[in-house]
Amino acid sequence: MTTKHNKILEYIESLKAGTRISVRKVAAKLNVSEGTAYRAIKEAENRKLVSTIQRVGTVRIEKIEKKNIEKLSFGEITNIVDGTVLGGFEGLGKTLNKFLIGAMTVDEAEKYINRGDLLIVGNREECYRLALEKDASVLITGGFGCSDEIKEIANKKKLPIITSSYDTFTIATLINKAIYERLAKKDILLVEDIMAKDPFYLKETDKVEQWKNLFYSTTHTRFPVVDKKNNVVGIITAKDVTEAQNDEMIKNRMTRDLITLDQKTTVAYASYIMIWEGIELIPIVEDGKLIGVISRRDVMKAMQYMRSQPQVGETMEDLLLSNFSITSNSKVVKFTGEVEPAMLNRLGVASWSAIIMLMSTAAVVATKRQRKLEPMPDSFIVYFIKPVQIEDKISLIVNTIDSGRHYCKIEVEVRDRYKTLARGMMSAKIFRR
């Protein structure tokens, strides 16, 4: 049975990109309370079906797939630059192809403008008209407006005309930053990218004999258990049925204390949970219902894949180590570089937080490089540290002093040419390749 909430979500999904939505209109259209409409619209916003744009309202947008996550919609651009939409409201849900700076004559600009582009330009009416003729949108800098004729063309073509009080450089910087952040998110592998979407499972009313049949046909030893509504209620493994009779019910043998994850969980977090809890299989659920499973093998393959991919967006840790050279032998890994301005605090010396992050990152990188292990840091204790000045040449010496099947202890020392500047010890659980 379709609930009012789901009915509203289906209605919103059926709307064209750019359609403006309000609680009052949705409530009147579907004959529901405004409270129900409000909650459904918020859910639609969480699902990236709509976006709230300043001075415009809530607008239906095209849902951007993860592979195209670096694409920004014109509605999002409006929010990023604190803009006001002058015309072409129905095109706010469209995504831009690329943005251009209109710092040239109209004749020259014509060569560069293509369908789906965003032209960033000042108070130049002839450029607005050219962009719209080429099926591109316009972002006007300096807070200038445009003529009614331009607004009419924008409305007819459903191409947004946006104005912002920021200058061209600031706008380009803001958009670049937003695209960079999208790229960083794109690199993050999620559970939904690797999970088995049609998993084998058992019902709690099934018998142990059915577990054995499933085991012989699939060679899997672990299966999620669901109730009559497909809600995950347990997990059953070979250990659970070792001494069980064939006619015993699964619900009497399964493990009820289980861990589940949703499909938007990162693979890194899932691997941490698997290592920490010592489990081989995790059911993936949505509203409690089984939609997939991930195994330790799936996670290991995914992490190997991530290591083989070039990084599109650098993290803070990457930036800290980017100017350090690495040398190693059978015992230690050594990072050599110098203190950069980004590492300084307000007093002009390297901040303790930057040094500690540098040390912990070096420990993780060294362990991956030398021991072919994937460490999951459990604790990191820094028990000695001295001030370090800008452009000081320093070395980080990383030594794995103890390693077992499931853990390792890593010592990190920071030195200059003459003395020790910091020492720390990391304890980590390990994930073998």
Side-chain angles (χ1 to χ4, degrees), residues 42 46 59 112 190 199 201 205 260 265 275 277 292-294 300 329:
K42 280 297 178 185
N46 292 335
V59 178
Y112 298 94
L190 303 180
Y201 63 90
T205 53
T260 62
T265 304
I275 295 168
E277 300 292 340
V293 295
I294 57 167
M300 289 179 69
N329 57 38

Side-chain angles (χ1 to χ4, degrees), residues 175-404:
I175 295 175
N176 261 327
K177 182 182 177 183
I179 292 174
Y180 171 84
E181 290 172 352
R182 288 291 188 92
L183 288 170
K185 290 179 182 178
K186 184 182 177 183
D187 288 338
I188 299 172
L189 206 59
L190 303 180
V191 163
E192 66 178 349
D193 298 319
I194 67 166
M195 71 180 186
K197 295 183 180 178
D198 294 308
F200 296 102
Y201 63 90
L202 290 164
K203 296 180 180 178
E204 60 180 345
T205 53
D206 287 340
K207 304 291 177 61
V208 169
E209 184 178 12
Q210 287 165 287
W211 178 91
K212 293 180 178 179
N213 292 336
L214 204 54
F215 164 68
Y216 289 126
S217 63
T218 66
T219 70
H220 298 170
T221 59
R222 298 169 177 81
F223 302 99
V225 182
V226 301
D227 60 16
K228 61 177 71 174
K229 294 182 179 179
N230 203 40
N231 292 313
V232 177
V233 293
I235 195 164
I236 189 160
T237 69
K239 184 179 178 180
D240 297 323
V241 300
T242 301
E243 299 178 356
Q245 299 297 318
N246 284 347
D247 60 350
E248 279 193 70
M249 296 184 72
I250 292 294
K251 67 179 180 181
N252 296 329
R253 285 284 176 173
M254 70 183 185
T255 301
R256 294 181 181 274
D257 184 17
L258 79 162
I259 292 173
T260 62
L261 298 172
D262 66 56
Q263 59 184 336
K264 296 299 181 183
T265 304
T266 64
V267 170
Y269 179 78
S271 67
Y272 180 84
I273 292 296
M274 284 183 154
I275 295 168
W276 189 257
E277 300 292 340
I279 53 182
E280 298 287 337
L281 185 83
I282 298 181
I284 309 303
V285 301
E286 185 174 337
D287 297 327
K289 300 187 185 303
L290 180 68
I291 60 171
V293 295
I294 57 167
S295 66
R296 183 183 284 253
R297 181 178 296 179
D298 296 330
V299 170
M300 289 179 69
K301 286 182 178 179
M303 296 185 77
Q304 288 171 357
Y305 168 80
M306 286 190 289
R307 282 193 296 270
S308 70
Q309 299 304 301
Q311 288 298 109
V312 179
E314 289 184 312
T315 63
M316 190 176 296
E317 288 89 347
D318 296 326
L319 292 171
L320 282 175
L321 278 179
S322 61
N323 292 313
F324 280 75
S325 60
I326 306 176
T327 57
S328 62
N329 57 38
S330 59
K331 293 183 179 180
V332 301
V333 178
K334 185 177 181 180
F335 299 79
T336 306
E338 64 179 38
V339 178
E340 297 191 322
M343 298 170 62
L344 302 182
N345 63 15
R346 292 178 301 173
L347 301 176
V349 295
S351 72
W352 289 9
S353 58
I355 293 295
I356 292 169
M357 181 180 290
L358 188 64
M359 292 170 70
S360 62
T361 303
V364 171
V365 171
T367 306
K368 288 180 182 179
R369 179 188 179 94
Q370 190 177 45
R371 303 283 175 170
K372 309 303 181 189
L373 303 174
E374 191 72 43
M376 293 290 177
D378 183 17
S379 64
F380 185 51
I381 300 171
V382 177
Y383 49 88
F384 178 72
I385 192 165
K386 281 187 172 181
V388 187
Q389 299 183 74
I390 187 171
E391 296 183 355
D392 275 359
K393 304 242 183 252
I394 60 174
S395 298
L396 289 87
I397 301 165
V398 183
N399 181 22
T400 302
I401 61 174
D402 191 16
S403 179

Side-chain angles (χ1 to χ4, degrees), residues 74 117-122 124 127-132 136-141 150 159-163:
F74 293 113
D117 291 348
L118 176 68
L119 179 65
I120 302 173
V121 67
R124 299 176 64 187
C127 286
Y128 311 161
R129 184 176 287 102
L130 172 64
L132 293 172
S137 295
V138 179
L139 174 50
I140 305 171
T141 63
I150 294 295
L159 294 169
I161 296 285
I162 306 163
T163 182

Side-chain angles (χ1 to χ4, degrees), residues 87-88 132 150-161:
L132 293 172
I150 294 295
K151 293 178 184 176
E152 188 177 337
I153 297 171
N155 289 332
K156 185 177 180 180
K157 290 206 164 194
K158 299 179 181 178
L159 294 169
I161 296 285

